[in-house]
Amino acid sequence: MKTEDKITEKPSHYDHLEKMDVSEVLKNINREDMLVAEAVGRAIPQIEPLVCAIESRMKQGGRLFYVGAGTSGRLGVLDASELPPTFGVSPDWVIGIIAGGDEALRRAVERAEDDEKQGWLDLEAYHPSPLDCVIGIAASGTTPYVIGAIKHARANGLLTGCISSNPHTPLASEAEYPIETIVGPEFVTGSSRMKSGTAQKMVLNMISTALMIRMGRVKGNRMVKMQLTNEKLIDRGTRMIQESLGISYDEARQRLLEAGSVDKAIS
């Protein structure tokens, strides 16, 4: 895929950014960001079958892996890392893998994304099985690290999906369930950490939250299996129990601390 064919590399609709005052910059970024939710909405027919396919495998004991480089990799790791405290799941259930390893979470690792073999090697460290699922994340849809991971994962029987911001990419051609969020050119030309990154975050939120609901980690609209890792979450859980059972705050708190989770305290 040639650079000139990538929407993510097209010139911004805005020019002379350095001549704009702060208000103009902020309003124009916000104007572009408003287009992101619309692009994600158009992709829901692609997202839904992927969620359903992952749900089926996870209910048989499968795991979900996110694989990406740079911003895309960081967003995958972020989403995966938020699921254990929010939904009380094992950190081994949804796993984020980033090109260059943990060091790349804080600073760019030179040329890590260019190694097509390393993506699968990093996945192999987790001893993947055909019940597992892999979502490759790459705004361009051309990142070798991610393409290699998806190609080898699919060849080994894993379910594969991807998220990109360009249509008809090499990455999409390798994945069984491609998701394309066509958000258009970035405010700063080529800066896919902006609209493309926002779209990726939204799609990851949708996928993981839908899966957690389908896997029984939510009751009503409450995170009844969240980990009680700080006072804020203990207070939130206490109020859930108080409202559900019609008891005092102190009694609800005692029940929660004894049971260890909201769902056990109200069952």
Side-chain angles (χ1 to χ4, degrees):
M1 189 174 189
K2 297 179 180 178
T3 298
E4 57 266 28
D5 295 332
K6 298 177 184 177
I7 295 175
T8 50
E9 296 294 332
K10 296 290 185 185
S12 172
H13 295 309
Y14 305 82
D15 203 353
H16 307 297
L17 306 186
E18 73 281 3
K19 295 181 181 179
M20 295 180 183
D21 60 31
V22 173
S23 177
E24 285 182 285
V25 169
L26 298 179
K27 288 178 180 178
N28 288 333
I29 290 174
N30 180 244
R31 187 174 292 114
E32 289 298 299
D33 284 346
M34 290 180 183
L35 303 175
V36 176
E38 295 177 3
V40 171
R42 290 191 294 271
I44 287 176
Q46 298 175 329
I47 301 169
E48 181 182 355
L50 175 57
V51 171
C52 292
I54 294 172
E55 177 191 353
S56 175
R57 294 202 180 194
M58 291 189 86
K59 284 183 174 177
Q60 298 176 68
R63 298 167 293 175
L64 173 59
F65 293 89
Y66 298 137
V67 178
T71 297
S72 300
R74 294 182 190 103
L75 288 170
V77 171
L78 172 63
D79 192 73
S81 67
E82 289 180 337
L83 300 182
T86 305
F87 298 106
V89 299
S90 166
D92 298 326
W93 211 11
V94 180
I95 299 167
I97 297 175
I98 182 171
D102 287 352
E103 181 184 350
L105 292 172
R106 295 184 178 274
R107 55 179 62 85
V109 175
E110 187 175 357
R111 303 191 70 83
E113 69 175 51
D114 297 330
D115 189 340
E116 186 170 336
K117 297 179 181 178
Q118 191 60 46
W120 175 244
L121 292 175
D122 289 346
L123 267 169
E124 278 195 307
Y126 293 90
H127 307 291
S129 82
L131 284 178
D132 293 331
C133 311
V134 185
I135 297 177
I137 315 167
S140 68
T142 59
T143 307
Y145 177 89
V146 181
I147 292 172
I150 294 299
K151 181 188 298 184
H152 288 287
R154 188 171 183 179
N156 282 273
L158 282 72
L159 184 146
T160 56
C162 71
I163 306 169
S164 65
S165 297
N166 285 307
H168 314 303
T169 64
L171 176 59
S173 70
E174 296 292 347
E176 297 166 84
Y177 296 90
I179 297 168
E180 297 173 336
T181 54
I182 312 304
V183 297
E186 297 288 358
F187 178 71
V188 175
T189 298
S191 182
S192 57
R193 57 177 283 273
M194 301 185 76
K195 289 195 298 180
S196 291
T198 300
Q200 290 170 350
K201 174 60 175 165
M202 291 176 72
V203 173
L204 290 170
N205 279 349
M206 293 167 76
I207 291 171
S208 59
T209 302
L211 284 170
M212 293 301 103
I213 293 169
R214 299 291 296 173
M215 298 297 290
R217 313 306 292 188
V218 173
K219 183 174 182 179
N221 58 15
R222 304 297 179 88
M223 302 177 289
V224 294
K225 293 182 180 291
M226 63 185 179
Q227 294 178 355
L228 307 178
T229 54
N230 57 49
E231 189 58 38
K232 177 188 72 175
L233 296 179
I234 293 173
D235 175 69
R236 181 184 297 161
T238 298
R239 286 184 285 106
M240 288 183 196
I241 297 166
Q242 185 181 15
E243 292 169 9
S244 178
L245 300 181
I247 59 180
S248 70
Y249 182 92
D250 290 341
E251 185 180 352
R253 181 183 174 91
Q254 182 177 347
R255 280 187 177 233
L256 175 63
L257 295 178
E258 289 176 353
S261 67
V262 174
D263 62 328
K264 290 180 180 179
I266 62 179
S267 61

